[in-house]
Amino acid sequence: MALLRKKIISANWKMNITASEVSPYLTAFLEEIKGINEVDVILIPSFTSLPKTSELLSSLQGIRLGAQNISSHDKGAFTGEISAVMLRDLFVHHVLIGHSERRHLFGETNTIIHEKMKISHLNQMNPILCVGETLEERRSGKEKQVIEHQLREAFSGLSVNQITHTMIAYEPVWAIGTGQTASVEQAQEAHFFIRSLIEELSDASVSQKIRLLYGGSVTPENSEELLSAPDIDGALVGSASLDPRSFAKIVVQAQRNCTKE
Ligand code: PGA
């Protein structure tokens, strides 16, 4: 029997939703997801909205908090950086590492991403490692090569236990914020490839346990089909997560998808 991996739906609010907007958002969102208990939900606000979101989520089971970035340093003279310990203090359990906007707009290299992976694991934060190719790389048939390189660098030297406690988001750069979603076939092929590589980097049981998310223009209209692919265990949602009702629809569909399996 195939191992059932719990679906996970994560909202990446990026540089949107202020601290004072969190409460009305959560009121609307929680109303829409009543009775949903078979899906893991992660909210990833901006740093300034983290304390408020953390406070409001503290009495709720089942919704976890993530951060959009983490410093690769422990502490000290690093103006503008946020450390793992600071995030843990706000009950943050997850952190996005290597998001394509960090890689492409802020020059994060695979080396920096590797450092961030190490520091988040050392602090018991479960990273959501983002990988994915640009349009040029896909057009020249290099997508697997790029994904493999990103994964090998990020996981280099990590223990099997640390790999197990990582989630991977496959986010083709050309699909992020563009309205152009990868087809289910393209996404499934990439996810299958990632799972096979994880088996090589750890073992078969880890590769069957690790959860792989798809990200890139996920909406309530396309999420059901994407989530039905065998190796897609969830979604990382940007634009469509800014509206609590549209994000809730994706969560509800994920639950429906679990109960179908
Ligand atoms: P999008 O963003 O859903 O707006 O494409 C996804 C992401 O960047 O994580």
Side-chain angles (χ1 to χ4, degrees), residues 1 19 31-32 63 70 72 74-75 83 89 101 103-105 115 118 125 142 158 161 180 196 198 202 222 233 235:
M1 202 188 93
E31 179 62 30
E32 301 286 328
I63 302 185
I70 189 171
S72 55
D74 238 357
K75 62 175 181 174
S83 75
D89 204 42
E101 285 147 21
R103 290 179 191 263
H104 297 286
L105 302 176
E115 291 303 316
K118 285 196 292 187
M125 312 242 317
K142 291 201 187 113
L158 260 61
N161 185 46
Q180 194 193 338
S196 316
I198 295 301
S202 52
N222 59 30
D233 307 314

mmCIF file with all atom_site columns, all heavy atoms in Angstrom, residues 1 19 31-32 63 70 72 74-75 83 89 101 103-105 115 118 125 142 158 161 180 196 198 202 222 233 235:
data_model
loop_
_atom_site.group_PDB
_atom_site.id
_atom_site.type_symbol
_atom_site.label_atom_id
_atom_site.label_alt_id
_atom_site.label_comp_id
_atom_site.label_asym_id
_atom_site.label_entity_id
_atom_site.label_seq_id
_atom_site.pdbx_PDB_ins_code
_atom_site.Cartn_x
_atom_site.Cartn_y
_atom_site.Cartn_z
_atom_site.occupancy
_atom_site.B_iso_or_equiv
_atom_site.pdbx_formal_charge
_atom_site.auth_seq_id
_atom_site.auth_comp_id
_atom_site.auth_asym_id
_atom_site.auth_atom_id
_atom_site.pdbx_PDB_model_num
ATOM 1   N N   . MET A 1 1   ? 0.841   -1.203 0.000   1.00 0.00 ? 1   MET A N   1
ATOM 2   C CA  . MET A 1 1   ? 0.000   0.000  0.000   1.00 0.00 ? 1   MET A CA  1
ATOM 3   C C   . MET A 1 1   ? 0.881   1.261  0.000   1.00 0.00 ? 1   MET A C   1
ATOM 4   O O   . MET A 1 1   ? 1.848   1.334  0.749   1.00 0.00 ? 1   MET A O   1
ATOM 5   C CB  . MET A 1 1   ? -0.892  -0.020 1.238   1.00 0.00 ? 1   MET A CB  1
ATOM 6   C CG  . MET A 1 1   ? -2.129  0.828  1.109   1.00 0.00 ? 1   MET A CG  1
ATOM 7   S SD  . MET A 1 1   ? -3.012  0.939  2.690   1.00 0.00 ? 1   MET A SD  1
ATOM 8   C CE  . MET A 1 1   ? -2.318  2.440  3.357   1.00 0.00 ? 1   MET A CE  1
ATOM 9   N N   . ALA A 1 19  ? 0.456   43.937 10.091  1.00 0.00 ? 19  ALA A N   1
ATOM 10  C CA  . ALA A 1 19  ? 0.077   43.352 11.385  1.00 0.00 ? 19  ALA A CA  1
ATOM 11  C C   . ALA A 1 19  ? -1.397  43.625 11.699  1.00 0.00 ? 19  ALA A C   1
ATOM 12  O O   . ALA A 1 19  ? -2.101  42.760 12.215  1.00 0.00 ? 19  ALA A O   1
ATOM 13  C CB  . ALA A 1 19  ? 0.984   43.911 12.475  1.00 0.00 ? 19  ALA A CB  1
ATOM 14  N N   . GLU A 1 31  ? -13.219 30.817 9.653   1.00 0.00 ? 31  GLU A N   1
ATOM 15  C CA  . GLU A 1 31  ? -14.642 30.567 9.422   1.00 0.00 ? 31  GLU A CA  1
ATOM 16  C C   . GLU A 1 31  ? -14.826 29.584 8.252   1.00 0.00 ? 31  GLU A C   1
ATOM 17  O O   . GLU A 1 31  ? -15.644 28.680 8.298   1.00 0.00 ? 31  GLU A O   1
ATOM 18  C CB  . GLU A 1 31  ? -15.317 31.927 9.125   1.00 0.00 ? 31  GLU A CB  1
ATOM 19  C CG  . GLU A 1 31  ? -16.795 31.894 8.841   1.00 0.00 ? 31  GLU A CG  1
ATOM 20  C CD  . GLU A 1 31  ? -17.621 31.378 10.024  1.00 0.00 ? 31  GLU A CD  1
ATOM 21  O OE1 . GLU A 1 31  ? -17.194 31.577 11.164  1.00 0.00 ? 31  GLU A OE1 1
ATOM 22  O OE2 . GLU A 1 31  ? -18.674 30.753 9.763   1.00 0.00 ? 31  GLU A OE2 1
ATOM 23  N N   . GLU A 1 32  ? -14.008 29.769 7.236   1.00 0.00 ? 32  GLU A N   1
ATOM 24  C CA  . GLU A 1 32  ? -14.138 28.949 6.015   1.00 0.00 ? 32  GLU A CA  1
ATOM 25  C C   . GLU A 1 32  ? -13.546 27.551 6.164   1.00 0.00 ? 32  GLU A C   1
ATOM 26  O O   . GLU A 1 32  ? -13.863 26.665 5.387   1.00 0.00 ? 32  GLU A O   1
ATOM 27  C CB  . GLU A 1 32  ? -13.419 29.632 4.834   1.00 0.00 ? 32  GLU A CB  1
ATOM 28  C CG  . GLU A 1 32  ? -13.930 31.011 4.496   1.00 0.00 ? 32  GLU A CG  1
ATOM 29  C CD  . GLU A 1 32  ? -15.270 30.992 3.787   1.00 0.00 ? 32  GLU A CD  1
ATOM 30  O OE1 . GLU A 1 32  ? -15.539 30.041 3.041   1.00 0.00 ? 32  GLU A OE1 1
ATOM 31  O OE2 . GLU A 1 32  ? -16.045 31.943 4.003   1.00 0.00 ? 32  GLU A OE2 1
ATOM 32  N N   . ILE A 1 63  ? -2.552  24.846 12.874  1.00 0.00 ? 63  ILE A N   1
ATOM 33  C CA  . ILE A 1 63  ? -2.017  25.834 11.936  1.00 0.00 ? 63  ILE A CA  1
ATOM 34  C C   . ILE A 1 63  ? -0.645  26.235 12.439  1.00 0.00 ? 63  ILE A C   1
ATOM 35  O O   . ILE A 1 63  ? -0.485  26.646 13.590  1.00 0.00 ? 63  ILE A O   1
ATOM 36  C CB  . ILE A 1 63  ? -2.918  27.073 11.811  1.00 0.00 ? 63  ILE A CB  1
ATOM 37  C CG1 . ILE A 1 63  ? -4.319  26.656 11.361  1.00 0.00 ? 63  ILE A CG1 1
ATOM 38  C CG2 . ILE A 1 63  ? -2.318  28.079 10.831  1.00 0.00 ? 63  ILE A CG2 1
ATOM 39  C CD1 . ILE A 1 63  ? -5.248  27.809 11.083  1.00 0.00 ? 63  ILE A CD1 1
ATOM 40  N N   . ILE A 1 70  ? 15.628  33.586 6.903   1.00 0.00 ? 70  ILE A N   1
ATOM 41  C CA  . ILE A 1 70  ? 16.346  33.385 8.165   1.00 0.00 ? 70  ILE A CA  1
ATOM 42  C C   . ILE A 1 70  ? 17.796  33.813 7.919   1.00 0.00 ? 70  ILE A C   1
ATOM 43  O O   . ILE A 1 70  ? 18.305  33.649 6.796   1.00 0.00 ? 70  ILE A O   1
ATOM 44  C CB  . ILE A 1 70  ? 16.271  31.899 8.581   1.00 0.00 ? 70  ILE A CB  1
ATOM 45  C CG1 . ILE A 1 70  ? 16.796  31.666 9.987   1.00 0.00 ? 70  ILE A CG1 1
ATOM 46  C CG2 . ILE A 1 70  ? 17.007  30.981 7.596   1.00 0.00 ? 70  ILE A CG2 1
ATOM 47  C CD1 . ILE A 1 70  ? 16.526  30.246 10.501  1.00 0.00 ? 70  ILE A CD1 1
ATOM 48  N N   . SER A 1 72  ? 21.777  33.416 8.013   1.00 0.00 ? 72  SER A N   1
ATOM 49  C CA  . SER A 1 72  ? 22.671  32.255 8.036   1.00 0.00 ? 72  SER A CA  1
ATOM 50  C C   . SER A 1 72  ? 23.636  32.368 9.218   1.00 0.00 ? 72  SER A C   1
ATOM 51  O O   . SER A 1 72  ? 24.460  31.496 9.438   1.00 0.00 ? 72  SER A O   1
ATOM 52  C CB  . SER A 1 72  ? 23.442  32.145 6.718   1.00 0.00 ? 72  SER A CB  1
ATOM 53  O OG  . SER A 1 72  ? 24.122  33.337 6.456   1.00 0.00 ? 72  SER A OG  1
ATOM 54  N N   . ASP A 1 74  ? 24.318  33.086 13.462  1.00 0.00 ? 74  ASP A N   1
ATOM 55  C CA  . ASP A 1 74  ? 23.752  32.807 14.771  1.00 0.00 ? 74  ASP A CA  1
ATOM 56  C C   . ASP A 1 74  ? 23.185  34.032 15.460  1.00 0.00 ? 74  ASP A C   1
ATOM 57  O O   . ASP A 1 74  ? 22.042  34.075 15.865  1.00 0.00 ? 74  ASP A O   1
ATOM 58  C CB  . ASP A 1 74  ? 24.923  32.322 15.647  1.00 0.00 ? 74  ASP A CB  1
ATOM 59  C CG  . ASP A 1 74  ? 24.661  30.970 16.191  1.00 0.00 ? 74  ASP A CG  1
ATOM 60  O OD1 . ASP A 1 74  ? 23.569  30.466 15.936  1.00 0.00 ? 74  ASP A OD1 1
ATOM 61  O OD2 . ASP A 1 74  ? 25.555  30.430 16.884  1.00 0.00 ? 74  ASP A OD2 1
ATOM 62  N N   . LYS A 1 75  ? 24.079  35.024 15.637  1.00 0.00 ? 75  LYS A N   1
ATOM 63  C CA  . LYS A 1 75  ? 23.706  36.287 16.290  1.00 0.00 ? 75  LYS A CA  1
ATOM 64  C C   . LYS A 1 75  ? 24.858  37.275 16.103  1.00 0.00 ? 75  LYS A C   1
ATOM 65  O O   . LYS A 1 75  ? 25.921  36.899 15.611  1.00 0.00 ? 75  LYS A O   1
ATOM 66  C CB  . LYS A 1 75  ? 23.438  36.078 17.779  1.00 0.00 ? 75  LYS A CB  1
ATOM 67  C CG  . LYS A 1 75  ? 24.614  35.595 18.585  1.00 0.00 ? 75  LYS A CG  1
ATOM 68  C CD  . LYS A 1 75  ? 24.226  35.562 20.047  1.00 0.00 ? 75  LYS A CD  1
ATOM 69  C CE  . LYS A 1 75  ? 25.399  35.115 20.893  1.00 0.00 ? 75  LYS A CE  1
ATOM 70  N NZ  . LYS A 1 75  ? 25.146  35.192 22.316  1.00 0.00 ? 75  LYS A NZ  1
ATOM 71  N N   . SER A 1 83  ? 17.477  36.143 13.312  1.00 0.00 ? 83  SER A N   1
ATOM 72  C CA  . SER A 1 83  ? 18.104  34.836 13.591  1.00 0.00 ? 83  SER A CA  1
ATOM 73  C C   . SER A 1 83  ? 17.083  33.737 13.874  1.00 0.00 ? 83  SER A C   1
ATOM 74  O O   . SER A 1 83  ? 15.917  34.014 14.188  1.00 0.00 ? 83  SER A O   1
ATOM 75  C CB  . SER A 1 83  ? 19.035  34.965 14.802  1.00 0.00 ? 83  SER A CB  1
ATOM 76  O OG  . SER A 1 83  ? 18.257  35.046 15.986  1.00 0.00 ? 83  SER A OG  1
ATOM 77  N N   . ASP A 1 89  ? 11.550  32.031 19.204  1.00 0.00 ? 89  ASP A N   1
ATOM 78  C CA  . ASP A 1 89  ? 10.929  32.772 20.295  1.00 0.00 ? 89  ASP A CA  1
ATOM 79  C C   . ASP A 1 89  ? 9.478   33.162 19.971  1.00 0.00 ? 89  ASP A C   1
ATOM 80  O O   . ASP A 1 89  ? 8.677   33.402 20.861  1.00 0.00 ? 89  ASP A O   1
ATOM 81  C CB  . ASP A 1 89  ? 11.789  34.037 20.502  1.00 0.00 ? 89  ASP A CB  1
ATOM 82  C CG  . ASP A 1 89  ? 11.655  34.604 21.881  1.00 0.00 ? 89  ASP A CG  1
ATOM 83  O OD1 . ASP A 1 89  ? 11.645  33.809 22.827  1.00 0.00 ? 89  ASP A OD1 1
ATOM 84  O OD2 . ASP A 1 89  ? 11.551  35.834 22.006  1.00 0.00 ? 89  ASP A OD2 1
ATOM 85  N N   . GLU A 1 101 ? 12.542  34.324 -5.327  1.00 0.00 ? 101 GLU A N   1
ATOM 86  C CA  . GLU A 1 101 ? 12.716  35.781 -5.210  1.00 0.00 ? 101 GLU A CA  1
ATOM 87  C C   . GLU A 1 101 ? 13.968  36.116 -4.414  1.00 0.00 ? 101 GLU A C   1
ATOM 88  O O   . GLU A 1 101 ? 14.642  37.108 -4.680  1.00 0.00 ? 101 GLU A O   1
ATOM 89  C CB  . GLU A 1 101 ? 11.444  36.407 -4.601  1.00 0.00 ? 101 GLU A CB  1
ATOM 90  C CG  . GLU A 1 101 ? 10.319  36.460 -5.632  1.00 0.00 ? 101 GLU A CG  1
ATOM 91  C CD  . GLU A 1 101 ? 8.916   36.296 -5.087  1.00 0.00 ? 101 GLU A CD  1
ATOM 92  O OE1 . GLU A 1 101 ? 8.687   36.510 -3.886  1.00 0.00 ? 101 GLU A OE1 1
ATOM 93  O OE2 . GLU A 1 101 ? 8.023   35.928 -5.892  1.00 0.00 ? 101 GLU A OE2 1
ATOM 94  N N   . ARG A 1 103 ? 16.619  34.112 -4.360  1.00 0.00 ? 103 ARG A N   1
ATOM 95  C CA  . ARG A 1 103 ? 17.749  33.723 -5.219  1.00 0.00 ? 103 ARG A CA  1
ATOM 96  C C   . ARG A 1 103 ? 17.981  34.780 -6.305  1.00 0.00 ? 103 ARG A C   1
ATOM 97  O O   . ARG A 1 103 ? 19.103  35.228 -6.527  1.00 0.00 ? 103 ARG A O   1
ATOM 98  C CB  . ARG A 1 103 ? 17.465  32.387 -5.930  1.00 0.00 ? 103 ARG A CB  1
ATOM 99  C CG  . ARG A 1 103 ? 17.455  31.158 -5.037  1.00 0.00 ? 103 ARG A CG  1
ATOM 100 C CD  . ARG A 1 103 ? 17.145  29.916 -5.879  1.00 0.00 ? 103 ARG A CD  1
ATOM 101 N NE  . ARG A 1 103 ? 16.868  28.722 -5.095  1.00 0.00 ? 103 ARG A NE  1
ATOM 102 C CZ  . ARG A 1 103 ? 17.757  27.767 -4.811  1.00 0.00 ? 103 ARG A CZ  1
ATOM 103 N NH1 . ARG A 1 103 ? 18.984  27.861 -5.234  1.00 0.00 ? 103 ARG A NH1 1
ATOM 104 N NH2 . ARG A 1 103 ? 17.392  26.702 -4.108  1.00 0.00 ? 103 ARG A NH2 1
ATOM 105 N N   . HIS A 1 104 ? 16.888  35.185 -6.975  1.00 0.00 ? 104 HIS A N   1
ATOM 106 C CA  . HIS A 1 104 ? 17.062  36.018 -8.168  1.00 0.00 ? 104 HIS A CA  1
ATOM 107 C C   . HIS A 1 104 ? 17.061  37.515 -7.909  1.00 0.00 ? 104 HIS A C   1
ATOM 108 O O   . HIS A 1 104 ? 17.730  38.259 -8.607  1.00 0.00 ? 104 HIS A O   1
ATOM 109 C CB  . HIS A 1 104 ? 16.011  35.642 -9.222  1.00 0.00 ? 104 HIS A CB  1
ATOM 110 C CG  . HIS A 1 104 ? 16.166  34.219 -9.684  1.00 0.00 ? 104 HIS A CG  1
ATOM 111 N ND1 . HIS A 1 104 ? 17.175  33.816 -10.523 1.00 0.00 ? 104 HIS A ND1 1
ATOM 112 C CD2 . HIS A 1 104 ? 15.485  33.090 -9.355  1.00 0.00 ? 104 HIS A CD2 1
ATOM 113 C CE1 . HIS A 1 104 ? 17.100  32.509 -10.720 1.00 0.00 ? 104 HIS A CE1 1
ATOM 114 N NE2 . HIS A 1 104 ? 16.076  32.042 -10.019 1.00 0.00 ? 104 HIS A NE2 1
ATOM 115 N N   . LEU A 1 105 ? 16.297  37.975 -6.889  1.00 0.00 ? 105 LEU A N   1
ATOM 116 C CA  . LEU A 1 105 ? 16.249  39.427 -6.647  1.00 0.00 ? 105 LEU A CA  1
ATOM 117 C C   . LEU A 1 105 ? 17.274  39.848 -5.596  1.00 0.00 ? 105 LEU A C   1
ATOM 118 O O   . LEU A 1 105 ? 17.687  40.996 -5.558  1.00 0.00 ? 105 LEU A O   1
ATOM 119 C CB  . LEU A 1 105 ? 14.853  39.858 -6.173  1.00 0.00 ? 105 LEU A CB  1
ATOM 120 C CG  . LEU A 1 105 ? 13.682  39.526 -7.099  1.00 0.00 ? 105 LEU A CG  1
ATOM 121 C CD1 . LEU A 1 105 ? 12.355  39.916 -6.455  1.00 0.00 ? 105 LEU A CD1 1
ATOM 122 C CD2 . LEU A 1 105 ? 13.836  40.270 -8.434  1.00 0.00 ? 105 LEU A CD2 1
ATOM 123 N N   . GLU A 1 115 ? 23.995  27.214 4.042   1.00 0.00 ? 115 GLU A N   1
ATOM 124 C CA  . GLU A 1 115 ? 24.239  27.706 5.412   1.00 0.00 ? 115 GLU A CA  1
ATOM 125 C C   . GLU A 1 115 ? 22.920  27.881 6.156   1.00 0.00 ? 115 GLU A C   1
ATOM 126 O O   . GLU A 1 115 ? 22.799  27.561 7.331   1.00 0.00 ? 115 GLU A O   1
ATOM 127 C CB  . GLU A 1 115 ? 24.982  29.065 5.381   1.00 0.00 ? 115 GLU A CB  1
ATOM 128 C CG  . GLU A 1 115 ? 26.428  28.981 4.889   1.00 0.00 ? 115 GLU A CG  1
ATOM 129 C CD  . GLU A 1 115 ? 27.278  28.022 5.709   1.00 0.00 ? 115 GLU A CD  1
ATOM 130 O OE1 . GLU A 1 115 ? 27.183  28.060 6.946   1.00 0.00 ? 115 GLU A OE1 1
ATOM 131 O OE2 . GLU A 1 115 ? 28.009  27.204 5.100   1.00 0.00 ? 115 GLU A OE2 1
ATOM 132 N N   . LYS A 1 118 ? 21.516  24.589 7.258   1.00 0.00 ? 118 LYS A N   1
ATOM 133 C CA  . LYS A 1 118 ? 22.210  24.041 8.437   1.00 0.00 ? 118 LYS A CA  1
ATOM 134 C C   . LYS A 1 118 ? 21.730  24.743 9.711   1.00 0.00 ? 118 LYS A C   1
ATOM 135 O O   . LYS A 1 118 ? 21.398  24.097 10.689  1.00 0.00 ? 118 LYS A O   1
ATOM 136 C CB  . LYS A 1 118 ? 23.731  24.210 8.291   1.00 0.00 ? 118 LYS A CB  1
ATOM 137 C CG  . LYS A 1 118 ? 24.337  23.229 7.308   1.00 0.00 ? 118 LYS A CG  1
ATOM 138 C CD  . LYS A 1 118 ? 25.849  23.133 7.466   1.00 0.00 ? 118 LYS A CD  1
ATOM 139 C CE  . LYS A 1 118 ? 26.532  24.398 7.045   1.00 0.00 ? 118 LYS A CE  1
ATOM 140 N NZ  . LYS A 1 118 ? 27.972  24.365 6.992   1.00 0.00 ? 118 LYS A NZ  1
ATOM 141 N N   . MET A 1 125 ? 14.182  24.071 13.399  1.00 0.00 ? 125 MET A N   1
ATOM 142 C CA  . MET A 1 125 ? 13.147  24.661 12.540  1.00 0.00 ? 125 MET A CA  1
ATOM 143 C C   . MET A 1 125 ? 13.112  23.816 11.270  1.00 0.00 ? 125 MET A C   1
ATOM 144 O O   . MET A 1 125 ? 14.153  23.500 10.726  1.00 0.00 ? 125 MET A O   1
ATOM 145 C CB  . MET A 1 125 ? 13.523  26.078 12.132  1.00 0.00 ? 125 MET A CB  1
ATOM 146 C CG  . MET A 1 125 ? 13.984  26.934 13.272  1.00 0.00 ? 125 MET A CG  1
ATOM 147 S SD  . MET A 1 125 ? 12.942  28.331 13.541  1.00 0.00 ? 125 MET A SD  1
ATOM 148 C CE  . MET A 1 125 ? 12.663  28.890 11.929  1.00 0.00 ? 125 MET A CE  1
ATOM 149 N N   . LYS A 1 142 ? 17.222  21.975 -19.407 1.00 0.00 ? 142 LYS A N   1
ATOM 150 C CA  . LYS A 1 142 ? 18.162  21.796 -18.291 1.00 0.00 ? 142 LYS A CA  1
ATOM 151 C C   . LYS A 1 142 ? 17.467  21.745 -16.926 1.00 0.00 ? 142 LYS A C   1
ATOM 152 O O   . LYS A 1 142 ? 18.124  21.848 -15.890 1.00 0.00 ? 142 LYS A O   1
ATOM 153 C CB  . LYS A 1 142 ? 19.144  22.970 -18.264 1.00 0.00 ? 142 LYS A CB  1
ATOM 154 C CG  . LYS A 1 142 ? 20.116  22.993 -19.418 1.00 0.00 ? 142 LYS A CG  1
ATOM 155 C CD  . LYS A 1 142 ? 21.334  23.832 -19.027 1.00 0.00 ? 142 LYS A CD  1
ATOM 156 C CE  . LYS A 1 142 ? 22.261  24.024 -20.195 1.00 0.00 ? 142 LYS A CE  1
ATOM 157 N NZ  . LYS A 1 142 ? 22.339  25.411 -20.652 1.00 0.00 ? 142 LYS A NZ  1
ATOM 158 N N   . LEU A 1 158 ? 24.090  17.184 5.245   1.00 0.00 ? 158 LEU A N   1
ATOM 159 C CA  . LEU A 1 158 ? 22.977  17.081 6.196   1.00 0.00 ? 158 LEU A CA  1
ATOM 160 C C   . LEU A 1 158 ? 22.730  15.611 6.533   1.00 0.00 ? 158 LEU A C   1
ATOM 161 O O   . LEU A 1 158 ? 22.926  14.734 5.679   1.00 0.00 ? 158 LEU A O   1
ATOM 162 C CB  . LEU A 1 158 ? 21.696  17.694 5.598   1.00 0.00 ? 158 LEU A CB  1
ATOM 163 C CG  . LEU A 1 158 ? 21.367  19.124 6.073   1.00 0.00 ? 158 LEU A CG  1
ATOM 164 C CD1 . LEU A 1 158 ? 22.471  20.089 5.701   1.00 0.00 ? 158 LEU A CD1 1
ATOM 165 C CD2 . LEU A 1 158 ? 20.060  19.595 5.470   1.00 0.00 ? 158 LEU A CD2 1
ATOM 166 N N   . ASN A 1 161 ? 18.292  12.334 9.192   1.00 0.00 ? 161 ASN A N   1
ATOM 167 C CA  . ASN A 1 161 ? 17.234  12.884 10.040  1.00 0.00 ? 161 ASN A CA  1
ATOM 168 C C   . ASN A 1 161 ? 16.888  14.324 9.625   1.00 0.00 ? 161 ASN A C   1
ATOM 169 O O   . ASN A 1 161 ? 15.719  14.715 9.570   1.00 0.00 ? 161 ASN A O   1
ATOM 170 C CB  . ASN A 1 161 ? 17.700  12.833 11.507  1.00 0.00 ? 161 ASN A CB  1
ATOM 171 C CG  . ASN A 1 161 ? 16.607  13.287 12.441  1.00 0.00 ? 161 ASN A CG  1
ATOM 172 O OD1 . ASN A 1 161 ? 15.458  12.869 12.299  1.00 0.00 ? 161 ASN A OD1 1
ATOM 173 N ND2 . ASN A 1 161 ? 16.948  14.162 13.359  1.00 0.00 ? 161 ASN A ND2 1
ATOM 174 N N   . GLN A 1 180 ? 0.872   31.628 -14.989 1.00 0.00 ? 180 GLN A N   1
ATOM 175 C CA  . GLN A 1 180 ? 1.154   30.499 -15.884 1.00 0.00 ? 180 GLN A CA  1
ATOM 176 C C   . GLN A 1 180 ? 1.584   29.293 -15.028 1.00 0.00 ? 180 GLN A C   1
ATOM 177 O O   . GLN A 1 180 ? 2.747   29.153 -14.679 1.00 0.00 ? 180 GLN A O   1
ATOM 178 C CB  . GLN A 1 180 ? 2.291   30.898 -16.838 1.00 0.00 ? 180 GLN A CB  1
ATOM 179 C CG  . GLN A 1 180 ? 2.441   29.950 -17.999 1.00 0.00 ? 180 GLN A CG  1
ATOM 180 C CD  . GLN A 1 180 ? 3.761   30.190 -18.738 1.00 0.00 ? 180 GLN A CD  1
ATOM 181 O OE1 . GLN A 1 180 ? 4.347   31.264 -18.655 1.00 0.00 ? 180 GLN A OE1 1
ATOM 182 N NE2 . GLN A 1 180 ? 4.226   29.172 -19.440 1.00 0.00 ? 180 GLN A NE2 1
ATOM 183 N N   . SER A 1 196 ? 13.074  10.833 -6.328  1.00 0.00 ? 196 SER A N   1
ATOM 184 C CA  . SER A 1 196 ? 14.104  9.836  -6.655  1.00 0.00 ? 196 SER A CA  1
ATOM 185 C C   . SER A 1 196 ? 15.476  10.307 -6.169  1.00 0.00 ? 196 SER A C   1
ATOM 186 O O   . SER A 1 196 ? 16.287  9.522  -5.684  1.00 0.00 ? 196 SER A O   1
ATOM 187 C CB  . SER A 1 196 ? 14.194  9.595  -8.165  1.00 0.00 ? 196 SER A CB  1
ATOM 188 O OG  . SER A 1 196 ? 12.923  9.490  -8.698  1.00 0.00 ? 196 SER A OG  1
ATOM 189 N N   . ILE A 1 198 ? 16.031  12.299 -3.659  1.00 0.00 ? 198 ILE A N   1
ATOM 190 C CA  . ILE A 1 198 ? 16.060  12.210 -2.190  1.00 0.00 ? 198 ILE A CA  1
ATOM 191 C C   . ILE A 1 198 ? 16.388  10.776 -1.772  1.00 0.00 ? 198 ILE A C   1
ATOM 192 O O   . ILE A 1 198 ? 17.118  10.546 -0.811  1.00 0.00 ? 198 ILE A O   1
ATOM 193 C CB  . ILE A 1 198 ? 14.700  12.670 -1.574  1.00 0.00 ? 198 ILE A CB  1
ATOM 194 C CG1 . ILE A 1 198 ? 14.466  14.147 -1.852  1.00 0.00 ? 198 ILE A CG1 1
ATOM 195 C CG2 . ILE A 1 198 ? 14.632  12.391 -0.072  1.00 0.00 ? 198 ILE A CG2 1
ATOM 196 C CD1 . ILE A 1 198 ? 15.516  15.080 -1.310  1.00 0.00 ? 198 ILE A CD1 1
ATOM 197 N N   . SER A 1 202 ? 19.421  9.974  0.608   1.00 0.00 ? 202 SER A N   1
ATOM 198 C CA  . SER A 1 202 ? 19.161  9.412  1.949   1.00 0.00 ? 202 SER A CA  1
ATOM 199 C C   . SER A 1 202 ? 18.811  7.937  1.782   1.00 0.00 ? 202 SER A C   1
ATOM 200 O O   . SER A 1 202 ? 19.676  7.124  1.564   1.00 0.00 ? 202 SER A O   1
ATOM 201 C CB  . SER A 1 202 ? 18.048  10.189 2.647   1.00 0.00 ? 202 SER A CB  1
ATOM 202 O OG  . SER A 1 202 ? 16.908  10.285 1.821   1.00 0.00 ? 202 SER A OG  1
ATOM 203 N N   . ASN A 1 222 ? -7.047  25.577 -10.021 1.00 0.00 ? 222 ASN A N   1
ATOM 204 C CA  . ASN A 1 222 ? -6.145  24.516 -10.504 1.00 0.00 ? 222 ASN A CA  1
ATOM 205 C C   . ASN A 1 222 ? -5.601  23.607 -9.397  1.00 0.00 ? 222 ASN A C   1
ATOM 206 O O   . ASN A 1 222 ? -4.932  22.625 -9.675  1.00 0.00 ? 222 ASN A O   1
ATOM 207 C CB  . ASN A 1 222 ? -4.977  25.113 -11.310 1.00 0.00 ? 222 ASN A CB  1
ATOM 208 C CG  . ASN A 1 222 ? -4.143  26.098 -10.484 1.00 0.00 ? 222 ASN A CG  1
ATOM 209 O OD1 . ASN A 1 222 ? -4.038  25.966 -9.280  1.00 0.00 ? 222 ASN A OD1 1
ATOM 210 N ND2 . ASN A 1 222 ? -3.534  27.069 -11.140 1.00 0.00 ? 222 ASN A ND2 1
ATOM 211 N N   . ASP A 1 233 ? 2.393   16.659 -2.711  1.00 0.00 ? 233 ASP A N   1
ATOM 212 C CA  . ASP A 1 233 ? 1.802   16.491 -1.380  1.00 0.00 ? 233 ASP A CA  1
ATOM 213 C C   . ASP A 1 233 ? 1.228   17.788 -0.831  1.00 0.00 ? 233 ASP A C   1
ATOM 214 O O   . ASP A 1 233 ? 0.799   17.828 0.329   1.00 0.00 ? 233 ASP A O   1
ATOM 215 C CB  . ASP A 1 233 ? 2.873   15.977 -0.399  1.00 0.00 ? 233 ASP A CB  1
ATOM 216 C CG  . ASP A 1 233 ? 3.559   14.739 -0.936  1.00 0.00 ? 233 ASP A CG  1
ATOM 217 O OD1 . ASP A 1 233 ? 2.847   13.836 -1.411  1.00 0.00 ? 233 ASP A OD1 1
ATOM 218 O OD2 . ASP A 1 233 ? 4.807   14.685 -0.904  1.00 0.00 ? 233 ASP A OD2 1
ATOM 219 N N   . ALA A 1 235 ? 0.759   22.447 -1.525  1.00 0.00 ? 235 ALA A N   1
ATOM 220 C CA  . ALA A 1 235 ? 0.970   23.629 -2.354  1.00 0.00 ? 235 ALA A CA  1
ATOM 221 C C   . ALA A 1 235 ? 1.537   24.769 -1.534  1.00 0.00 ? 235 ALA A C   1
ATOM 222 O O   . ALA A 1 235 ? 1.215   24.924 -0.353  1.00 0.00 ? 235 ALA A O   1
ATOM 223 C CB  . ALA A 1 235 ? -0.352  24.054 -2.984  1.00 0.00 ? 235 ALA A CB  1
#
